[in-house]
Amino acid sequence: HSACSFFADPDQDSESVSPFWSPQANPFIIECHIDHDAEPVSGQCISLKDLACHHQFVQTADGAASIQLSSKICSLQLKLTGDLDAGKPFRFSLNVPGPLNLQHKLHSIACLSTLIKHREFNRSCAKTPPKKIAHADLLYAFDLAAIGLSQRQIAQKLYGVRAVFDGWDEASDHIRSNTRRLIKKGQDLIRRGASAVFPSP
């Protein structure tokens, strides 16, 4: 999908993936320009090796470059112009187009400021994780439906044969209802794509 500009290592599991999004899809992305003209001055440069977070740098075939800074608390993506030597301290300027998405950009800038100042993200940087929207059972139900399993077969894989036997045709019908709901939510998530994960302007 065009919303996802790069996906690192497709063999990783869903807990470990590091997708790189386009700024059009993810309003939290910060656009930066690397400043090569100024001499590095102490306190005015950032050194990636000094930050207590994982960083991943990618450059796609069209020449676009991005860096992702992530920890268990926060993940922050920067879109870059200018050549970056990730092993050396560097200065940068920010490009913050408006008026759309300013609140999201400001949140990301505040988190970047926290990271630079304290060398790590704090709890104020956390955003609602996509896992709450695209949790494992929902995606599993969608995948099973896509390969042709019936709702009852899907329910058995999700909840177990005994749970389906007890809760499929009973008065509450809760197992059948939950299974239908998961499949529908999965279909809606895939249909909406990145817009289901990121906030609208």
Side-chain angles (χ1 to χ4, degrees):
H1 194 280
S2 59
C4 187
S5 60
F6 184 85
F7 185 81
D9 192 355
D11 293 328
Q12 289 182 328
D13 62 29
S14 61
E15 299 291 328
S16 308
V17 293
S18 298
F20 283 77
W21 300 95
S22 71
Q24 292 73 30
N26 182 356
F28 291 98
I29 291 175
I30 306 174
E31 298 182 47
C32 304
H33 178 72
I34 306 302
D35 188 353
H36 296 288
D37 298 328
E39 288 294 324
V41 178
S42 178
Q44 296 184 2
C45 297
I46 179 175
S47 177
L48 296 176
K49 66 180 181 180
D50 293 336
L51 304 180
C53 67
H54 176 70
H55 63 270
Q56 188 169 14
F57 175 78
V58 298
Q59 188 162 14
T60 51
D62 61 0
S66 294
I67 190 165
Q68 189 174 109
L69 307 166
S70 58
S71 71
K72 291 182 179 180
I73 294 174
C74 180
S75 179
L76 186 62
Q77 184 181 325
L78 311 179
K79 182 181 178 183
L80 308 172
T81 56
D83 295 326
L84 172 67
D85 183 344
K88 295 181 179 180
F90 61 93
R91 293 177 63 178
F92 61 90
S93 57
L94 301 179
N95 176 27
V96 187
L100 294 179
N101 298 319
L102 281 179
Q103 71 273 30
H104 307 307
K105 303 292 185 190
L106 291 174
H107 175 84
S108 294
I109 292 170
C111 292
L112 180 60
S113 178
T114 295
L115 177 63
I116 294 171
K117 182 177 180 180
H118 300 289
R119 303 294 188 258
E120 62 183 0
F121 293 116
N122 63 25
R123 292 289 174 185
S124 68
C125 298
K127 302 189 291 289
T128 302
K131 279 183 227 178
K132 290 188 178 180
I133 301 169
H135 58 80
D137 284 354
L138 185 153
L139 297 175
Y140 187 40
F142 173 84
D143 285 343
L144 293 175
I147 62 174
L149 270 66
S150 69
Q151 290 183 12
R152 190 182 187 101
Q153 290 172 317
I154 293 170
Q156 288 173 344
K157 289 186 176 294
L158 287 170
Y159 307 111
V161 174
R162 183 66 193 180
V164 173
F165 181 80
D166 292 338
W168 189 263
D169 295 317
E170 298 294 324
S172 67
D173 200 23
H174 66 283
I175 294 291
R176 187 198 298 257
S177 297
N178 286 348
T179 304
R180 286 175 177 166
R181 191 177 302 113
L182 283 174
I183 295 170
K184 185 177 184 303
K185 284 184 176 181
Q187 292 169 338
D188 182 59
L189 174 68
I190 300 303
R191 177 183 58 80
R192 292 172 60 196
S195 66
V197 179
F198 300 114
S200 300

PDB file of all heavy atoms in Angstrom, residues 1-6 20-24 57-66 77 79-83:
ATOM      1  N   HIS A   1       0.849  -1.189   0.000  1.00  0.00           N
ATOM      2  CA  HIS A   1       0.000   0.000   0.000  1.00  0.00           C
ATOM      3  C   HIS A   1       0.878   1.230   0.000  1.00  0.00           C
ATOM      4  O   HIS A   1       1.920   1.275   0.658  1.00  0.00           O
ATOM      5  CB  HIS A   1      -0.903  -0.018   1.244  1.00  0.00           C
ATOM      6  CG  HIS A   1      -2.027   0.972   1.179  1.00  0.00           C
ATOM      7  ND1 HIS A   1      -1.833   2.307   1.454  1.00  0.00           N
ATOM      8  CD2 HIS A   1      -3.338   0.831   0.880  1.00  0.00           C
ATOM      9  CE1 HIS A   1      -2.992   2.943   1.323  1.00  0.00           C
ATOM     10  NE2 HIS A   1      -3.914   2.063   0.976  1.00  0.00           N
ATOM     11  N   SER A   2       0.460   2.298  -0.703  1.00  0.00           N
ATOM     12  CA  SER A   2       1.284   3.489  -0.811  1.00  0.00           C
ATOM     13  C   SER A   2       1.468   4.197   0.516  1.00  0.00           C
ATOM     14  O   SER A   2       2.378   5.005   0.671  1.00  0.00           O
ATOM     15  CB  SER A   2       0.652   4.454  -1.821  1.00  0.00           C
ATOM     16  OG  SER A   2      -0.662   4.810  -1.414  1.00  0.00           O
ATOM     17  N   ALA A   3       0.616   3.925   1.497  1.00  0.00           N
ATOM     18  CA  ALA A   3       0.762   4.548   2.813  1.00  0.00           C
ATOM     19  C   ALA A   3       2.001   4.049   3.522  1.00  0.00           C
ATOM     20  O   ALA A   3       2.578   4.744   4.351  1.00  0.00           O
ATOM     21  CB  ALA A   3      -0.474   4.285   3.664  1.00  0.00           C
ATOM     22  N   CYS A   4       2.409   2.840   3.214  1.00  0.00           N
ATOM     23  CA  CYS A   4       3.591   2.245   3.846  1.00  0.00           C
ATOM     24  C   CYS A   4       4.745   2.361   2.855  1.00  0.00           C
ATOM     25  O   CYS A   4       4.752   1.705   1.827  1.00  0.00           O
ATOM     26  CB  CYS A   4       3.337   0.786   4.219  1.00  0.00           C
ATOM     27  SG  CYS A   4       4.663   0.027   5.177  1.00  0.00           S
ATOM     28  N   SER A   5       5.718   3.230   3.167  1.00  0.00           N
ATOM     29  CA  SER A   5       6.783   3.494   2.200  1.00  0.00           C
ATOM     30  C   SER A   5       7.899   2.467   2.254  1.00  0.00           C
ATOM     31  O   SER A   5       8.614   2.282   1.289  1.00  0.00           O
ATOM     32  CB  SER A   5       7.360   4.893   2.439  1.00  0.00           C
ATOM     33  OG  SER A   5       7.894   5.005   3.744  1.00  0.00           O
ATOM     34  N   PHE A   6       8.050   1.805   3.408  1.00  0.00           N
ATOM     35  CA  PHE A   6       9.107   0.808   3.524  1.00  0.00           C
ATOM     36  C   PHE A   6       8.761  -0.119   4.669  1.00  0.00           C
ATOM     37  O   PHE A   6       8.241   0.312   5.695  1.00  0.00           O
ATOM     38  CB  PHE A   6      10.458   1.480   3.797  1.00  0.00           C
ATOM     39  CG  PHE A   6      11.625   0.520   3.828  1.00  0.00           C
ATOM     40  CD1 PHE A   6      12.261   0.157   2.652  1.00  0.00           C
ATOM     41  CD2 PHE A   6      12.075  -0.023   5.012  1.00  0.00           C
ATOM     42  CE1 PHE A   6      13.341  -0.726   2.668  1.00  0.00           C
ATOM     43  CE2 PHE A   6      13.146  -0.903   5.045  1.00  0.00           C
ATOM     44  CZ  PHE A   6      13.774  -1.256   3.861  1.00  0.00           C
ATOM     45  N   PHE A  20       7.794   1.727   7.892  1.00  0.00           N
ATOM     46  CA  PHE A  20       8.021   3.156   7.694  1.00  0.00           C
ATOM     47  C   PHE A  20       6.857   3.687   6.866  1.00  0.00           C
ATOM     48  O   PHE A  20       6.598   3.208   5.764  1.00  0.00           O
ATOM     49  CB  PHE A  20       9.351   3.398   6.971  1.00  0.00           C
ATOM     50  CG  PHE A  20      10.551   3.241   7.861  1.00  0.00           C
ATOM     51  CD1 PHE A  20      11.008   1.984   8.209  1.00  0.00           C
ATOM     52  CD2 PHE A  20      11.221   4.357   8.346  1.00  0.00           C
ATOM     53  CE1 PHE A  20      12.116   1.834   9.034  1.00  0.00           C
ATOM     54  CE2 PHE A  20      12.332   4.215   9.164  1.00  0.00           C
ATOM     55  CZ  PHE A  20      12.780   2.954   9.513  1.00  0.00           C
ATOM     56  N   TRP A  21       6.169   4.694   7.407  1.00  0.00           N
ATOM     57  CA  TRP A  21       4.961   5.218   6.779  1.00  0.00           C
ATOM     58  C   TRP A  21       5.258   6.496   6.001  1.00  0.00           C
ATOM     59  O   TRP A  21       6.254   7.168   6.252  1.00  0.00           O
ATOM     60  CB  TRP A  21       3.896   5.508   7.827  1.00  0.00           C
ATOM     61  CG  TRP A  21       3.477   4.303   8.603  1.00  0.00           C
ATOM     62  CD1 TRP A  21       3.964   3.896   9.810  1.00  0.00           C
ATOM     63  CD2 TRP A  21       2.499   3.336   8.219  1.00  0.00           C
ATOM     64  NE1 TRP A  21       3.348   2.735  10.207  1.00  0.00           N
ATOM     65  CE2 TRP A  21       2.445   2.368   9.255  1.00  0.00           C
ATOM     66  CE3 TRP A  21       1.669   3.186   7.108  1.00  0.00           C
ATOM     67  CZ2 TRP A  21       1.588   1.275   9.203  1.00  0.00           C
ATOM     68  CZ3 TRP A  21       0.807   2.100   7.060  1.00  0.00           C
ATOM     69  CH2 TRP A  21       0.775   1.158   8.091  1.00  0.00           C
ATOM     70  N   SER A  22       4.363   6.837   5.103  1.00  0.00           N
ATOM     71  CA  SER A  22       4.469   8.116   4.402  1.00  0.00           C
ATOM     72  C   SER A  22       3.843   9.204   5.274  1.00  0.00           C
ATOM     73  O   SER A  22       2.923   8.925   6.056  1.00  0.00           O
ATOM     74  CB  SER A  22       3.736   8.056   3.060  1.00  0.00           C
ATOM     75  OG  SER A  22       2.328   8.018   3.275  1.00  0.00           O
ATOM     76  N   PRO A  23       4.322  10.447   5.183  1.00  0.00           N
ATOM     77  CA  PRO A  23       3.725  11.537   5.960  1.00  0.00           C
ATOM     78  C   PRO A  23       2.250  11.758   5.650  1.00  0.00           C
ATOM     79  O   PRO A  23       1.502  12.263   6.489  1.00  0.00           O
ATOM     80  CB  PRO A  23       4.564  12.755   5.546  1.00  0.00           C
ATOM     81  CG  PRO A  23       5.863  12.189   5.091  1.00  0.00           C
ATOM     82  CD  PRO A  23       5.500  10.875   4.434  1.00  0.00           C
ATOM     83  N   GLN A  24       1.817  11.360   4.458  1.00  0.00           N
ATOM     84  CA  GLN A  24       0.404  11.514   4.104  1.00  0.00           C
ATOM     85  C   GLN A  24      -0.475  10.569   4.918  1.00  0.00           C
ATOM     86  O   GLN A  24      -1.640  10.863   5.177  1.00  0.00           O
ATOM     87  CB  GLN A  24       0.190  11.257   2.606  1.00  0.00           C
ATOM     88  CG  GLN A  24       0.810  12.299   1.679  1.00  0.00           C
ATOM     89  CD  GLN A  24       2.320  12.204   1.589  1.00  0.00           C
ATOM     90  OE1 GLN A  24       2.897  11.121   1.720  1.00  0.00           O
ATOM     91  NE2 GLN A  24       2.963  13.337   1.374  1.00  0.00           N
ATOM     92  N   PHE A  57      17.589   3.289  10.063  1.00  0.00           N
ATOM     93  CA  PHE A  57      17.662   4.234   8.961  1.00  0.00           C
ATOM     94  C   PHE A  57      17.423   3.497   7.653  1.00  0.00           C
ATOM     95  O   PHE A  57      17.985   2.422   7.430  1.00  0.00           O
ATOM     96  CB  PHE A  57      19.041   4.903   8.947  1.00  0.00           C
ATOM     97  CG  PHE A  57      19.276   5.820   7.774  1.00  0.00           C
ATOM     98  CD1 PHE A  57      18.743   7.092   7.749  1.00  0.00           C
ATOM     99  CD2 PHE A  57      20.033   5.399   6.693  1.00  0.00           C
ATOM    100  CE1 PHE A  57      18.960   7.938   6.676  1.00  0.00           C
ATOM    101  CE2 PHE A  57      20.266   6.238   5.606  1.00  0.00           C
ATOM    102  CZ  PHE A  57      19.725   7.509   5.611  1.00  0.00           C
ATOM    103  N   VAL A  58      16.569   4.056   6.807  1.00  0.00           N
ATOM    104  CA  VAL A  58      16.323   3.454   5.492  1.00  0.00           C
ATOM    105  C   VAL A  58      16.336   4.533   4.418  1.00  0.00           C
ATOM    106  O   VAL A  58      15.999   5.691   4.667  1.00  0.00           O
ATOM    107  CB  VAL A  58      14.969   2.699   5.430  1.00  0.00           C
ATOM    108  CG1 VAL A  58      14.940   1.546   6.420  1.00  0.00           C
ATOM    109  CG2 VAL A  58      13.790   3.636   5.652  1.00  0.00           C
ATOM    110  N   GLN A  59      16.737   4.120   3.236  1.00  0.00           N
ATOM    111  CA  GLN A  59      16.660   4.995   2.070  1.00  0.00           C
ATOM    112  C   GLN A  59      16.060   4.184   0.939  1.00  0.00           C
ATOM    113  O   GLN A  59      16.568   3.121   0.583  1.00  0.00           O
ATOM    114  CB  GLN A  59      18.035   5.530   1.678  1.00  0.00           C
ATOM    115  CG  GLN A  59      17.967   6.590   0.584  1.00  0.00           C
ATOM    116  CD  GLN A  59      19.234   7.419   0.509  1.00  0.00           C
ATOM    117  OE1 GLN A  59      20.253   7.052   1.096  1.00  0.00           O
ATOM    118  NE2 GLN A  59      19.188   8.530  -0.211  1.00  0.00           N
ATOM    119  N   THR A  60      14.957   4.661   0.395  1.00  0.00           N
ATOM    120  CA  THR A  60      14.248   3.931  -0.648  1.00  0.00           C
ATOM    121  C   THR A  60      14.811   4.289  -2.025  1.00  0.00           C
ATOM    122  O   THR A  60      15.621   5.209  -2.158  1.00  0.00           O
ATOM    123  CB  THR A  60      12.739   4.236  -0.589  1.00  0.00           C
ATOM    124  OG1 THR A  60      12.536   5.654  -0.554  1.00  0.00           O
ATOM    125  CG2 THR A  60      12.122   3.632   0.666  1.00  0.00           C
ATOM    126  N   ALA A  61      14.347   3.553  -3.024  1.00  0.00           N
ATOM    127  CA  ALA A  61      14.904   3.697  -4.373  1.00  0.00           C
ATOM    128  C   ALA A  61      14.698   5.096  -4.944  1.00  0.00           C
ATOM    129  O   ALA A  61      15.477   5.550  -5.787  1.00  0.00           O
ATOM    130  CB  ALA A  61      14.264   2.661  -5.300  1.00  0.00           C
ATOM    131  N   ASP A  62      13.666   5.804  -4.485  1.00  0.00           N
ATOM    132  CA  ASP A  62      13.406   7.146  -5.010  1.00  0.00           C
ATOM    133  C   ASP A  62      14.269   8.210  -4.325  1.00  0.00           C
ATOM    134  O   ASP A  62      14.116   9.406  -4.597  1.00  0.00           O
ATOM    135  CB  ASP A  62      11.929   7.502  -4.864  1.00  0.00           C
ATOM    136  CG  ASP A  62      11.462   7.497  -3.411  1.00  0.00           C
ATOM    137  OD1 ASP A  62      12.289   7.225  -2.510  1.00  0.00           O
ATOM    138  OD2 ASP A  62      10.268   7.750  -3.178  1.00  0.00           O
ATOM    139  N   GLY A  63      15.163   7.788  -3.435  1.00  0.00           N
ATOM    140  CA  GLY A  63      16.058   8.734  -2.772  1.00  0.00           C
ATOM    141  C   GLY A  63      15.540   9.269  -1.456  1.00  0.00           C
ATOM    142  O   GLY A  63      16.265   9.969  -0.741  1.00  0.00           O
ATOM    143  N   ALA A  64      14.292   8.964  -1.104  1.00  0.00           N
ATOM    144  CA  ALA A  64      13.738   9.421   0.171  1.00  0.00           C
ATOM    145  C   ALA A  64      14.405   8.668   1.322  1.00  0.00           C
ATOM    146  O   ALA A  64      14.724   7.487   1.197  1.00  0.00           O
ATOM    147  CB  ALA A  64      12.232   9.202   0.202  1.00  0.00           C
ATOM    148  N   ALA A  65      14.624   9.365   2.421  1.00  0.00           N
ATOM    149  CA  ALA A  65      15.272   8.746   3.583  1.00  0.00           C
ATOM    150  C   ALA A  65      14.429   8.989   4.829  1.00  0.00           C
ATOM    151  O   ALA A  65      13.773  10.020   4.962  1.00  0.00           O
ATOM    152  CB  ALA A  65      16.675   9.309   3.769  1.00  0.00           C
ATOM    153  N   SER A  66      14.448   8.015   5.719  1.00  0.00           N
ATOM    154  CA  SER A  66      13.722   8.128   6.977  1.00  0.00           C
ATOM    155  C   SER A  66      14.525   7.466   8.074  1.00  0.00           C
ATOM    156  O   SER A  66      15.304   6.547   7.827  1.00  0.00           O
ATOM    157  CB  SER A  66      12.342   7.463   6.893  1.00  0.00           C
ATOM    158  OG  SER A  66      11.492   8.133   5.995  1.00  0.00           O
ATOM    159  N   GLN A  77       9.050   8.630  13.858  1.00  0.00           N
ATOM    160  CA  GLN A  77       9.665   8.563  12.531  1.00  0.00           C
ATOM    161  C   GLN A  77       9.978   9.961  12.028  1.00  0.00           C
ATOM    162  O   GLN A  77       9.146  10.867  12.097  1.00  0.00           O
ATOM    163  CB  GLN A  77       8.740   7.846  11.547  1.00  0.00           C
ATOM    164  CG  GLN A  77       9.359   7.666  10.163  1.00  0.00           C
ATOM    165  CD  GLN A  77       8.404   6.982   9.197  1.00  0.00           C
ATOM    166  OE1 GLN A  77       7.623   6.112   9.581  1.00  0.00           O
ATOM    167  NE2 GLN A  77       8.457   7.370   7.940  1.00  0.00           N
ATOM    168  N   LYS A  79      11.294  12.056   8.603  1.00  0.00           N
ATOM    169  CA  LYS A  79      11.567  12.039   7.164  1.00  0.00           C
ATOM    170  C   LYS A  79      12.666  13.062   6.897  1.00  0.00           C
ATOM    171  O   LYS A  79      12.565  14.208   7.332  1.00  0.00           O
ATOM    172  CB  LYS A  79      10.316  12.374   6.357  1.00  0.00           C
ATOM    173  CG  LYS A  79      10.548  12.326   4.852  1.00  0.00           C
ATOM    174  CD  LYS A  79       9.309  12.676   4.071  1.00  0.00           C
ATOM    175  CE  LYS A  79       9.600  12.658   2.573  1.00  0.00           C
ATOM    176  NZ  LYS A  79       8.407  13.078   1.781  1.00  0.00           N
ATOM    177  N   LEU A  80      13.715  12.653   6.195  1.00  0.00           N
ATOM    178  CA  LEU A  80      14.917  13.467   6.085  1.00  0.00           C
ATOM    179  C   LEU A  80      15.165  13.966   4.666  1.00  0.00           C
ATOM    180  O   LEU A  80      14.925  13.257   3.689  1.00  0.00           O
ATOM    181  CB  LEU A  80      16.133  12.650   6.519  1.00  0.00           C
ATOM    182  CG  LEU A  80      16.054  11.955   7.881  1.00  0.00           C
ATOM    183  CD1 LEU A  80      17.255  11.044   8.070  1.00  0.00           C
ATOM    184  CD2 LEU A  80      15.971  12.970   8.999  1.00  0.00           C
ATOM    185  N   THR A  81      15.658  15.191   4.586  1.00  0.00           N
ATOM    186  CA  THR A  81      16.281  15.688   3.364  1.00  0.00           C
ATOM    187  C   THR A  81      17.717  16.047   3.729  1.00  0.00           C
ATOM    188  O   THR A  81      18.005  16.457   4.855  1.00  0.00           O
ATOM    189  CB  THR A  81      15.554  16.912   2.796  1.00  0.00           C
ATOM    190  OG1 THR A  81      15.492  17.943   3.799  1.00  0.00           O
ATOM    191  CG2 THR A  81      14.132  16.546   2.377  1.00  0.00           C
ATOM    192  N   GLY A  82      18.618  15.896   2.793  1.00  0.00           N
ATOM    193  CA  GLY A  82      20.036  16.077   3.081  1.00  0.00           C
ATOM    194  C   GLY A  82      20.650  14.756   3.504  1.00  0.00           C
ATOM    195  O   GLY A  82      19.966  13.880   4.031  1.00  0.00           O
ATOM    196  N   ASP A  83      21.925  14.593   3.261  1.00  0.00           N
ATOM    197  CA  ASP A  83      22.611  13.337   3.562  1.00  0.00           C
ATOM    198  C   ASP A  83      22.898  13.226   5.048  1.00  0.00           C
ATOM    199  O   ASP A  83      23.381  14.166   5.674  1.00  0.00           O
ATOM    200  CB  ASP A  83      23.926  13.241   2.780  1.00  0.00           C
ATOM    201  CG  ASP A  83      23.679  13.171   1.284  1.00  0.00           C
ATOM    202  OD1 ASP A  83      22.655  12.577   0.891  1.00  0.00           O
ATOM    203  OD2 ASP A  83      24.503  13.715   0.520  1.00  0.00           O
TER     204      ASP A  83
END
